[in-house]
């Protein structure tokens, strides 16, 4: 298992949420598409936590430890998100910055 596979799979639900939010803000989706995206988001969460993680403990986030580099990127990502919130009201880049911060944090995580 590579760190990249863990990173992507662990943040798959967040990726879906960011795609839903940004596509809604860009294309002004109608309600059925937005609800379909939320159903997909919930389905991925249920699948991960109730079916996949118990049978594949190597992917379980409880078995990973965030390194110093991961905490540093989380802090920088939170600072960037805070600056986006303060200086660009209603910016579409807040959610992708949130996703990137979490992807980088999980990439630098190591097995316990």
């Amino acid at each position: 298992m590579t760190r990249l596979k863990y990173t992507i799979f662990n943040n798959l639900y967040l990726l879906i949420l960011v795609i839903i939010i940004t596509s809604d803000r860009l294309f002004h989706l109608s309600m059925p598409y937005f609800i379909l995206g939320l159903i997909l988001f919930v389905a991925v969460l249920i699948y991960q936590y109730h079916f996949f993680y118990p049978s594949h403990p190597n992917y379980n986030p409880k078995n990973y430890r965030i390194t110093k580099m991961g905490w540093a990127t989380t802090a920088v990502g939170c600072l960037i998100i805070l600056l986006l919130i303060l200086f660009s009201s209603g910016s579409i880049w807040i959610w992708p910055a949130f996703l990137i911060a979490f992807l980088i944090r999980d990439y630098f995580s190591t097995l316990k």
Side-chain angles (χ1 to χ4, degrees):
M1 177 191 63
T2 64
R3 283 198 248 173
L4 188 60
K5 281 196 317 190
Y6 165 73
T7 300
I8 291 171
F9 187 77
N10 190 35
N11 293 304
L12 186 61
Y13 66 91
L14 189 59
L15 177 67
I16 292 170
L17 186 64
V18 168
I19 289 171
I20 291 169
I21 291 172
T22 54
S23 62
D24 182 49
R25 292 183 113 195
L26 286 174
F27 305 116
H28 304 292
L29 298 177
S30 62
M31 190 56 77
Y33 292 113
F34 192 75
I35 291 175
L36 183 65
L38 288 178
I39 290 171
L40 180 64
F41 169 75
V42 170
V44 166
L45 271 178
I46 290 171
Y47 173 73
Q48 280 182 336
Y49 284 98
H50 290 289
F51 299 109
F52 190 79
Y53 289 150
S55 61
H56 296 87
N58 285 342
Y59 284 96
N60 195 339
K62 293 177 185 176
N63 294 333
Y64 278 81
R65 183 179 54 85
I66 301 172
T67 60
K68 291 178 185 177
M69 186 65 174
W71 284 116
T73 56
T74 303
V76 169
C78 289
L79 181 65
I80 290 171
I81 291 167
L82 181 65
L83 291 174
L84 283 172
I85 289 171
L86 291 176
F87 295 114
S88 60
S89 62
S91 176
I92 197 167
W93 298 107
I94 293 171
W95 290 102
F98 188 67
L99 174 68
I100 291 170
F102 274 86
L103 287 172
I104 293 172
R105 181 201 67 184
D106 285 342
Y107 184 77
F108 288 116
S109 297
T110 59
L111 273 169
K112 287 184 182 178

mmCIF file of all heavy atoms in Angstrom, residues 52-85:
data_model
loop_
_atom_site.group_PDB
_atom_site.id
_atom_site.type_symbol
_atom_site.label_atom_id
_atom_site.label_comp_id
_atom_site.label_asym_id
_atom_site.label_seq_id
_atom_site.Cartn_x
_atom_site.Cartn_y
_atom_site.Cartn_z
ATOM 1 N N PHE A 52 -15.321 -1.105 4.773
ATOM 2 C CA PHE A 52 -13.948 -1.203 4.295
ATOM 3 C C PHE A 52 -12.922 -1.197 5.412
ATOM 4 O O PHE A 52 -12.028 -2.039 5.454
ATOM 5 C CB PHE A 52 -13.658 -0.074 3.302
ATOM 6 C CG PHE A 52 -12.351 -0.253 2.589
ATOM 7 C CD1 PHE A 52 -12.243 -1.126 1.536
ATOM 8 C CD2 PHE A 52 -11.229 0.438 2.993
ATOM 9 C CE1 PHE A 52 -11.040 -1.314 0.887
ATOM 10 C CE2 PHE A 52 -10.029 0.276 2.352
ATOM 11 C CZ PHE A 52 -9.929 -0.607 1.298
ATOM 12 N N TYR A 53 -12.999 -0.229 6.334
ATOM 13 C CA TYR A 53 -11.994 -0.116 7.387
ATOM 14 C C TYR A 53 -11.929 -1.328 8.303
ATOM 15 O O TYR A 53 -10.833 -1.730 8.693
ATOM 16 C CB TYR A 53 -12.191 1.158 8.199
ATOM 17 C CG TYR A 53 -11.837 2.429 7.466
ATOM 18 C CD1 TYR A 53 -12.485 3.615 7.749
ATOM 19 C CD2 TYR A 53 -10.854 2.454 6.487
ATOM 20 C CE1 TYR A 53 -12.171 4.783 7.093
ATOM 21 C CE2 TYR A 53 -10.538 3.611 5.822
ATOM 22 C CZ TYR A 53 -11.192 4.770 6.126
ATOM 23 O OH TYR A 53 -10.869 5.923 5.472
ATOM 24 N N PRO A 54 -13.043 -1.948 8.686
ATOM 25 C CA PRO A 54 -12.914 -3.144 9.527
ATOM 26 C C PRO A 54 -12.195 -4.306 8.834
ATOM 27 O O PRO A 54 -11.479 -5.070 9.472
ATOM 28 C CB PRO A 54 -14.365 -3.520 9.850
ATOM 29 C CG PRO A 54 -15.119 -2.253 9.742
ATOM 30 C CD PRO A 54 -14.446 -1.504 8.625
ATOM 31 N N SER A 55 -12.353 -4.434 7.521
ATOM 32 C CA SER A 55 -11.708 -5.544 6.824
ATOM 33 C C SER A 55 -10.316 -5.191 6.293
ATOM 34 O O SER A 55 -9.563 -6.079 5.918
ATOM 35 C CB SER A 55 -12.586 -6.034 5.678
ATOM 36 O OG SER A 55 -12.802 -4.992 4.742
ATOM 37 N N HIS A 56 -9.967 -3.917 6.236
ATOM 38 C CA HIS A 56 -8.652 -3.473 5.776
ATOM 39 C C HIS A 56 -8.059 -2.498 6.791
ATOM 40 O O HIS A 56 -8.101 -1.280 6.598
ATOM 41 C CB HIS A 56 -8.755 -2.789 4.411
ATOM 42 C CG HIS A 56 -9.203 -3.686 3.323
ATOM 43 N ND1 HIS A 56 -10.535 -3.901 3.041
ATOM 44 C CD2 HIS A 56 -8.508 -4.455 2.458
ATOM 45 C CE1 HIS A 56 -10.637 -4.744 2.035
ATOM 46 N NE2 HIS A 56 -9.419 -5.104 1.664
ATOM 47 N N PRO A 57 -7.471 -3.012 7.869
ATOM 48 C CA PRO A 57 -6.961 -2.106 8.919
ATOM 49 C C PRO A 57 -5.778 -1.245 8.485
ATOM 50 O O PRO A 57 -5.491 -0.243 9.120
ATOM 51 C CB PRO A 57 -6.569 -3.060 10.039
ATOM 52 C CG PRO A 57 -6.384 -4.374 9.397
ATOM 53 C CD PRO A 57 -7.292 -4.399 8.206
ATOM 54 N N ASN A 58 -5.098 -1.610 7.384
ATOM 55 C CA ASN A 58 -3.980 -0.779 6.925
ATOM 56 C C ASN A 58 -4.440 0.579 6.421
ATOM 57 O O ASN A 58 -3.658 1.518 6.373
ATOM 58 C CB ASN A 58 -3.201 -1.475 5.811
ATOM 59 C CG ASN A 58 -2.345 -2.588 6.336
ATOM 60 O OD1 ASN A 58 -2.070 -2.645 7.530
ATOM 61 N ND2 ASN A 58 -1.922 -3.466 5.466
ATOM 62 N N TYR A 59 -5.688 0.687 6.007
ATOM 63 C CA TYR A 59 -6.221 1.949 5.515
ATOM 64 C C TYR A 59 -6.933 2.751 6.600
ATOM 65 O O TYR A 59 -7.314 3.884 6.371
ATOM 66 C CB TYR A 59 -7.215 1.708 4.379
ATOM 67 C CG TYR A 59 -6.564 1.360 3.076
ATOM 68 C CD1 TYR A 59 -6.402 0.048 2.684
ATOM 69 C CD2 TYR A 59 -6.116 2.359 2.223
ATOM 70 C CE1 TYR A 59 -5.807 -0.263 1.479
ATOM 71 C CE2 TYR A 59 -5.514 2.052 1.021
ATOM 72 C CZ TYR A 59 -5.366 0.739 0.651
ATOM 73 O OH TYR A 59 -4.773 0.433 -0.530
ATOM 74 N N ASN A 60 -7.148 2.174 7.763
ATOM 75 C CA ASN A 60 -7.891 2.837 8.825
ATOM 76 C C ASN A 60 -7.095 4.025 9.361
ATOM 77 O O ASN A 60 -5.942 3.883 9.753
ATOM 78 C CB ASN A 60 -8.194 1.857 9.955
ATOM 79 C CG ASN A 60 -9.250 2.355 10.893
ATOM 80 O OD1 ASN A 60 -9.508 3.548 10.981
ATOM 81 N ND2 ASN A 60 -9.871 1.437 11.602
ATOM 82 N N PRO A 61 -7.693 5.209 9.397
ATOM 83 C CA PRO A 61 -6.964 6.385 9.892
ATOM 84 C C PRO A 61 -6.534 6.263 11.353
ATOM 85 O O PRO A 61 -5.602 6.939 11.776
ATOM 86 C CB PRO A 61 -7.964 7.532 9.731
ATOM 87 C CG PRO A 61 -8.994 7.049 8.798
ATOM 88 C CD PRO A 61 -9.007 5.564 8.889
ATOM 89 N N LYS A 62 -7.177 5.398 12.119
ATOM 90 C CA LYS A 62 -6.797 5.217 13.525
ATOM 91 C C LYS A 62 -5.425 4.563 13.655
ATOM 92 O O LYS A 62 -4.784 4.662 14.689
ATOM 93 C CB LYS A 62 -7.827 4.357 14.251
ATOM 94 C CG LYS A 62 -9.167 5.011 14.384
ATOM 95 C CD LYS A 62 -10.142 4.076 15.042
ATOM 96 C CE LYS A 62 -11.529 4.689 15.074
ATOM 97 N NZ LYS A 62 -12.519 3.759 15.616
ATOM 98 N N ASN A 63 -4.984 3.898 12.595
ATOM 99 C CA ASN A 63 -3.699 3.214 12.622
ATOM 100 C C ASN A 63 -2.563 4.085 12.080
ATOM 101 O O ASN A 63 -1.465 3.592 11.855
ATOM 102 C CB ASN A 63 -3.771 1.921 11.816
ATOM 103 C CG ASN A 63 -4.710 0.932 12.454
ATOM 104 O OD1 ASN A 63 -4.918 0.954 13.656
ATOM 105 N ND2 ASN A 63 -5.293 0.073 11.642
ATOM 106 N N TYR A 64 -2.836 5.351 11.845
ATOM 107 C CA TYR A 64 -1.827 6.257 11.315
ATOM 108 C C TYR A 64 -1.519 7.353 12.317
ATOM 109 O O TYR A 64 -2.353 7.735 13.128
ATOM 110 C CB TYR A 64 -2.301 6.893 9.995
ATOM 111 C CG TYR A 64 -2.078 5.981 8.822
ATOM 112 C CD1 TYR A 64 -2.967 4.955 8.533
ATOM 113 C CD2 TYR A 64 -0.965 6.127 8.016
ATOM 114 C CE1 TYR A 64 -2.761 4.109 7.465
ATOM 115 C CE2 TYR A 64 -0.744 5.289 6.943
ATOM 116 C CZ TYR A 64 -1.645 4.290 6.679
ATOM 117 O OH TYR A 64 -1.422 3.458 5.627
ATOM 118 N N ARG A 65 -0.287 7.831 12.245
ATOM 119 C CA ARG A 65 0.169 8.920 13.101
ATOM 120 C C ARG A 65 0.597 10.064 12.190
ATOM 121 O O ARG A 65 1.349 9.869 11.231
ATOM 122 C CB ARG A 65 1.352 8.458 13.940
ATOM 123 C CG ARG A 65 1.877 9.486 14.916
ATOM 124 C CD ARG A 65 3.033 8.939 15.730
ATOM 125 N NE ARG A 65 4.117 8.407 14.908
ATOM 126 C CZ ARG A 65 5.101 9.152 14.387
ATOM 127 N NH1 ARG A 65 5.127 10.426 14.602
ATOM 128 N NH2 ARG A 65 6.050 8.595 13.677
ATOM 129 N N ILE A 66 0.126 11.260 12.500
ATOM 130 C CA ILE A 66 0.476 12.431 11.702
ATOM 131 C C ILE A 66 1.867 12.910 12.132
ATOM 132 O O ILE A 66 2.128 13.105 13.317
ATOM 133 C CB ILE A 66 -0.566 13.544 11.872
ATOM 134 C CG1 ILE A 66 -1.936 13.039 11.446
ATOM 135 C CG2 ILE A 66 -0.186 14.778 11.074
ATOM 136 C CD1 ILE A 66 -3.060 13.992 11.748
ATOM 137 N N THR A 67 2.754 13.081 11.172
ATOM 138 C CA THR A 67 4.117 13.504 11.458
ATOM 139 C C THR A 67 4.180 15.020 11.656
ATOM 140 O O THR A 67 3.193 15.725 11.471
ATOM 141 C CB THR A 67 5.059 13.102 10.310
ATOM 142 O OG1 THR A 67 4.609 13.743 9.116
ATOM 143 C CG2 THR A 67 5.083 11.598 10.114
ATOM 144 N N LYS A 68 5.359 15.498 12.024
ATOM 145 C CA LYS A 68 5.545 16.939 12.212
ATOM 146 C C LYS A 68 5.313 17.702 10.914
ATOM 147 O O LYS A 68 4.745 18.793 10.910
ATOM 148 C CB LYS A 68 6.941 17.227 12.752
ATOM 149 C CG LYS A 68 7.141 16.757 14.162
ATOM 150 C CD LYS A 68 8.547 17.019 14.622
ATOM 151 C CE LYS A 68 8.762 16.427 16.016
ATOM 152 N NZ LYS A 68 10.138 16.590 16.465
ATOM 153 N N MET A 69 5.747 17.113 9.806
ATOM 154 C CA MET A 69 5.526 17.759 8.509
ATOM 155 C C MET A 69 4.034 17.824 8.193
ATOM 156 O O MET A 69 3.559 18.814 7.627
ATOM 157 C CB MET A 69 6.276 16.988 7.416
ATOM 158 C CG MET A 69 6.234 17.641 6.091
ATOM 159 S SD MET A 69 7.115 19.200 6.158
ATOM 160 C CE MET A 69 7.073 19.647 4.467
ATOM 161 N N GLY A 70 3.296 16.793 8.567
ATOM 162 C CA GLY A 70 1.848 16.798 8.372
ATOM 163 C C GLY A 70 1.164 17.870 9.190
ATOM 164 O O GLY A 70 0.252 18.555 8.703
ATOM 165 N N TRP A 71 1.589 18.036 10.446
ATOM 166 C CA TRP A 71 1.019 19.096 11.283
ATOM 167 C C TRP A 71 1.390 20.466 10.753
ATOM 168 O O TRP A 71 0.577 21.405 10.812
ATOM 169 C CB TRP A 71 1.463 18.948 12.728
ATOM 170 C CG TRP A 71 0.753 17.852 13.442
ATOM 171 C CD1 TRP A 71 1.316 16.712 13.942
ATOM 172 C CD2 TRP A 71 -0.642 17.759 13.736
ATOM 173 N NE1 TRP A 71 0.352 15.929 14.517
ATOM 174 C CE2 TRP A 71 -0.859 16.548 14.406
ATOM 175 C CE3 TRP A 71 -1.726 18.580 13.472
ATOM 176 C CZ2 TRP A 71 -2.118 16.144 14.824
ATOM 177 C CZ3 TRP A 71 -2.988 18.169 13.888
ATOM 178 C CH2 TRP A 71 -3.174 16.968 14.561
ATOM 179 N N ALA A 72 2.597 20.608 10.239
ATOM 180 C CA ALA A 72 3.024 21.902 9.693
ATOM 181 C C ALA A 72 2.187 22.269 8.465
ATOM 182 O O ALA A 72 1.754 23.421 8.326
ATOM 183 C CB ALA A 72 4.509 21.866 9.342
ATOM 184 N N THR A 73 1.954 21.312 7.577
ATOM 185 C CA THR A 73 1.140 21.606 6.400
ATOM 186 C C THR A 73 -0.311 21.877 6.788
ATOM 187 O O THR A 73 -0.975 22.692 6.151
ATOM 188 C CB THR A 73 1.193 20.462 5.379
ATOM 189 O OG1 THR A 73 0.782 19.250 5.996
ATOM 190 C CG2 THR A 73 2.563 20.310 4.800
ATOM 191 N N THR A 74 -0.794 21.221 7.830
ATOM 192 C CA THR A 74 -2.144 21.506 8.316
ATOM 193 C C THR A 74 -2.226 22.932 8.841
ATOM 194 O O THR A 74 -3.192 23.652 8.564
ATOM 195 C CB THR A 74 -2.543 20.512 9.417
ATOM 196 O OG1 THR A 74 -2.448 19.183 8.902
ATOM 197 C CG2 THR A 74 -3.951 20.761 9.900
ATOM 198 N N ALA A 75 -1.218 23.368 9.579
ATOM 199 C CA ALA A 75 -1.209 24.735 10.103
ATOM 200 C C ALA A 75 -1.145 25.760 8.975
ATOM 201 O O ALA A 75 -1.872 26.757 8.988
ATOM 202 C CB ALA A 75 -0.036 24.914 11.058
ATOM 203 N N VAL A 76 -0.293 25.511 7.988
ATOM 204 C CA VAL A 76 -0.186 26.435 6.853
ATOM 205 C C VAL A 76 -1.496 26.443 6.061
ATOM 206 O O VAL A 76 -1.975 27.510 5.647
ATOM 207 C CB VAL A 76 1.010 26.054 5.946
ATOM 208 C CG1 VAL A 76 0.973 26.818 4.639
ATOM 209 C CG2 VAL A 76 2.310 26.289 6.669
ATOM 210 N N GLY A 77 -2.086 25.274 5.869
ATOM 211 C CA GLY A 77 -3.366 25.199 5.160
ATOM 212 C C GLY A 77 -4.466 25.938 5.897
ATOM 213 O O GLY A 77 -5.265 26.648 5.278
ATOM 214 N N CYS A 78 -4.524 25.799 7.214
ATOM 215 C CA CYS A 78 -5.526 26.528 8.004
ATOM 216 C C CYS A 78 -5.290 28.034 7.926
ATOM 217 O O CYS A 78 -6.253 28.804 7.868
ATOM 218 C CB CYS A 78 -5.499 26.063 9.449
ATOM 219 S SG CYS A 78 -6.155 24.406 9.671
ATOM 220 N N LEU A 79 -4.030 28.457 7.909
ATOM 221 C CA LEU A 79 -3.722 29.877 7.775
ATOM 222 C C LEU A 79 -4.177 30.397 6.416
ATOM 223 O O LEU A 79 -4.765 31.484 6.321
ATOM 224 C CB LEU A 79 -2.231 30.110 7.966
ATOM 225 C CG LEU A 79 -1.761 31.552 7.879
ATOM 226 C CD1 LEU A 79 -2.359 32.373 9.018
ATOM 227 C CD2 LEU A 79 -0.258 31.609 7.910
ATOM 228 N N ILE A 80 -3.924 29.635 5.361
ATOM 229 C CA ILE A 80 -4.358 30.039 4.021
ATOM 230 C C ILE A 80 -5.881 30.115 3.955
ATOM 231 O O ILE A 80 -6.444 31.063 3.393
ATOM 232 C CB ILE A 80 -3.793 29.073 2.959
ATOM 233 C CG1 ILE A 80 -2.278 29.267 2.830
ATOM 234 C CG2 ILE A 80 -4.473 29.280 1.614
ATOM 235 C CD1 ILE A 80 -1.592 28.228 1.990
ATOM 236 N N ILE A 81 -6.559 29.141 4.545
ATOM 237 C CA ILE A 81 -8.021 29.145 4.551
ATOM 238 C C ILE A 81 -8.539 30.344 5.332
ATOM 239 O O ILE A 81 -9.488 31.018 4.899
ATOM 240 C CB ILE A 81 -8.554 27.818 5.126
ATOM 241 C CG1 ILE A 81 -8.247 26.674 4.160
ATOM 242 C CG2 ILE A 81 -10.049 27.897 5.399
ATOM 243 C CD1 ILE A 81 -8.454 25.301 4.753
ATOM 244 N N LEU A 82 -7.924 30.648 6.457
ATOM 245 C CA LEU A 82 -8.325 31.810 7.244
ATOM 246 C C LEU A 82 -8.140 33.098 6.452
ATOM 247 O O LEU A 82 -9.013 33.976 6.465
ATOM 248 C CB LEU A 82 -7.533 31.862 8.552
ATOM 249 C CG LEU A 82 -7.867 33.004 9.494
ATOM 250 C CD1 LEU A 82 -9.299 32.873 9.996
ATOM 251 C CD2 LEU A 82 -6.906 33.018 10.654
ATOM 252 N N LEU A 83 -7.019 33.219 5.753
ATOM 253 C CA LEU A 83 -6.786 34.405 4.928
ATOM 254 C C LEU A 83 -7.798 34.497 3.790
ATOM 255 O O LEU A 83 -8.261 35.599 3.454
ATOM 256 C CB LEU A 83 -5.361 34.397 4.375
ATOM 257 C CG LEU A 83 -4.252 34.616 5.397
ATOM 258 C CD1 LEU A 83 -2.886 34.436 4.754
ATOM 259 C CD2 LEU A 83 -4.378 35.983 6.040
ATOM 260 N N LEU A 84 -8.150 33.359 3.185
ATOM 261 C CA LEU A 84 -9.168 33.369 2.139
ATOM 262 C C LEU A 84 -10.518 33.805 2.682
ATOM 263 O O LEU A 84 -11.254 34.547 2.026
ATOM 264 C CB LEU A 84 -9.283 31.983 1.493
ATOM 265 C CG LEU A 84 -8.206 31.590 0.503
ATOM 266 C CD1 LEU A 84 -8.358 30.134 0.105
ATOM 267 C CD2 LEU A 84 -8.276 32.477 -0.728
ATOM 268 N N ILE A 85 -10.841 33.352 3.875
ATOM 269 C CA ILE A 85 -12.123 33.728 4.480
ATOM 270 C C ILE A 85 -12.143 35.222 4.792
ATOM 271 O O ILE A 85 -13.136 35.905 4.554
ATOM 272 C CB ILE A 85 -12.387 32.890 5.745
ATOM 273 C CG1 ILE A 85 -12.701 31.442 5.357
ATOM 274 C CG2 ILE A 85 -13.545 33.467 6.554
ATOM 275 C CD1 ILE A 85 -12.775 30.499 6.527
#
